[in-house]
């Protein structure tokens, strides 16, 4: 009994590994304008727990006599309306058409609907749409097909924070290179990190402290001048204390130097000759 249980466990571990690997291929970061734009198309976001993945298992777009199905960051899943076309050798075969690829196209050839695989999840590559405007979104490109016919699909995932639109258009170039676009919140950068040349958070904290200190001195001086009628240098709040600060700092550094420097000198002279 225990000897046969390792098989389903091995399959489960393999599927989890493949899923993690596929999702990681939909992560992308781009550095531009002193900022890092990070995208994760498969991560859960508000109102879209599966990210850019279609909850139906596929996206569908049609133009003229061509029908395109695709899924981003995963393989196609058809719970309804499966493709009905001949071919599908590279995407599940005729009996399970569309079940082992990420993009499939059907074209009418001499009265027959012929299916061709356009891409697989393992071949997914992500790039920025516009380097001058990195926040616009990303383009997801996948490739597939046999040795004699290398096909591809490019999906532009444009940033739109409030809702999902598309895919509505389908363009074809060459023999079997297709392109479409999708407006989706997942096309917006998941995180934007700034590259600053200064001290970063420390400089910000230092500026805040200096501003608070300046506001304290200014507010106290105004209060003492107008409310208490104090004039001259005494208008500065706690002027006696601030006058002792340089001496306190000097004494602090002096004690530190004497503690560390004095102990080292004491070690060197602890056995020095004493003259009587």
């Amino acid at each position: 009994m225990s000897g046969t249980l390792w098989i389903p466990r091995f399959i489960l571990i393999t599927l989890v590994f493949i899923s993690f690997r596929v999702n990681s291929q939909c992560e992308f970061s781009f550095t531009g304008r002193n900022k890092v734009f990070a995208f994760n198309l498969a991560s859960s976001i508000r109102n879209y727990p599966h990210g850019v993945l279609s909850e139906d298992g596929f996206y569908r777009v049609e133009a003229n006599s061509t029908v395109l199905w695709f899924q981003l960051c995963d393989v196609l899943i058809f719970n309804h309306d499966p493709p009905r076309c001949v071919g599908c050798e590279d995407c599940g075969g005729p009996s399970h058409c569309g079940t082992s690829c990420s993009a499939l196209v059907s074209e009418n050839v001499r009265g027959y609907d012929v299916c061709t695989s356009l891409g697989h999840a393992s071949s997914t590559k992500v790039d920025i749409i516009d380097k001058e405007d990195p926040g616009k979104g990303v383009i997801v490109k996948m490739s597939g097909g046999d040795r004699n016919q290398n096909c591809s699909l490019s999906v532009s995932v444009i940033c739109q924070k409030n809702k999902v639109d598309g895919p509505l258009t389908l363009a074809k170039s060459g023999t079997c290179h297709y392109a479409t676009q999708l407006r989706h919140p997942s096309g917006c950068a998941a995180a934007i990190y700034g590259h600053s040349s200064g001290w970063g958070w420390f400089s910000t904290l230092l500026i805040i402290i200096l501003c608070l200190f300046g506001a304290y001195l200014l507010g106290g001086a105004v209060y003492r001048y107008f409310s208490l009628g104090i004039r001259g240098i005494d208008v500065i709040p706690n002027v006696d204390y601030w006058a002792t600060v340089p001496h306190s700092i000097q004494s602090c550094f002096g004690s530190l130097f004497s503690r560390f420097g004095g102990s080292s000198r004491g070690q060197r002279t602890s056995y020095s000759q004493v003259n009587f």
Side-chain angles (χ1 to χ4, degrees):
M1 180 75 177
S2 60
T4 60
L5 289 177
W6 70 272
I7 298 178
R9 290 178 180 175
F10 174 77
I11 295 175
L12 178 61
I13 295 173
T14 304
L15 291 175
V16 171
F17 173 76
I18 292 174
S19 176
F20 174 79
R21 186 168 179 263
V22 169
N23 290 341
S24 65
Q25 290 175 342
C26 284
E27 298 177 1
F28 177 75
S29 61
F30 175 79
T31 303
R33 297 185 177 182
N34 295 324
K35 293 182 180 179
V36 178
F37 297 81
F39 300 86
N40 191 342
L41 300 180
S43 65
S44 176
I45 56 177
R46 183 181 179 182
N47 298 328
Y48 302 96
H50 304 289
V52 77
L53 278 74
S54 172
E55 295 184 357
D56 293 333
F58 63 91
Y59 291 98
R60 186 179 186 275
V61 59
E62 184 175 357
N64 298 329
S65 59
T66 302
V67 182
L68 172 68
W69 299 268
F70 68 91
Q71 177 69 295
L72 297 175
C73 309
D74 206 346
V75 295
L76 290 164
I77 300 176
F78 290 98
N79 296 319
H80 61 88
D81 193 21
R84 301 184 182 276
C85 45
V86 297
C88 280
E89 286 79 6
D90 195 33
C91 192
S95 59
H96 299 88
C97 186
T99 59
S100 63
C101 65
S102 296
L104 187 71
V105 65
S106 172
E107 290 187 301
N108 189 277
V109 180
R110 299 177 183 178
Y112 295 94
D113 293 329
V114 180
C115 279
T116 304
S117 172
L118 296 181
H120 298 267
S122 58
S123 67
T124 300
K125 295 182 180 180
V126 184
D127 199 358
I128 206 76
I129 292 179
D130 187 359
K131 294 183 179 180
E132 298 298 326
D133 184 13
K136 184 177 180 179
V138 294
I139 183 169
V140 181
K141 185 174 182 179
M142 59 189 80
S143 57
D146 54 27
R147 298 178 180 178
N148 299 325
Q149 191 177 29
N150 186 18
C151 301
S152 67
L153 171 65
S154 298
V155 181
S156 298
V157 184
I158 301 174
C159 174
Q160 182 170 266
K161 296 182 179 181
N162 299 325
K163 61 178 182 177
V164 177
D165 286 328
L168 301 175
T169 61
L170 179 60
K172 180 180 179 181
S173 61
T175 305
C176 58
H177 299 285
Y178 296 85
T180 185
Q181 66 179 22
L182 183 69
R183 296 183 180 273
H184 198 283
S186 293
C188 306
I192 301 177
Y193 306 95
H195 282 301
S196 59
S197 57
W199 294 345
W201 65 269
F202 181 75
S203 62
T204 303
L205 179 61
L206 184 61
I207 291 173
I208 293 175
I209 294 175
L210 291 176
C211 290
L212 292 176
F213 180 71
Y216 159 74
L217 291 180
L218 180 61
V222 171
Y223 171 77
R224 292 167 66 85
Y225 185 88
F226 290 100
S227 299
L228 304 180
I230 300 175
R231 300 294 185 267
I233 194 172
D234 292 331
V235 77
I236 299 176
N238 299 319
V239 64
D240 295 334
Y241 170 76
W242 299 120
T244 62
V245 168
H247 179 71
S248 300
I249 295 175
Q250 183 180 3
S251 299
C252 180
F253 278 103
S255 63
L256 290 176
F257 282 123
S258 62
R259 177 179 298 179
F260 294 100
S263 60
S264 61
R265 288 194 299 269
Q267 291 178 358
R268 290 195 300 268
T269 61
S270 58
Y271 295 99
S272 60
Q273 185 177 358
V274 179
N275 296 323
F276 294 98

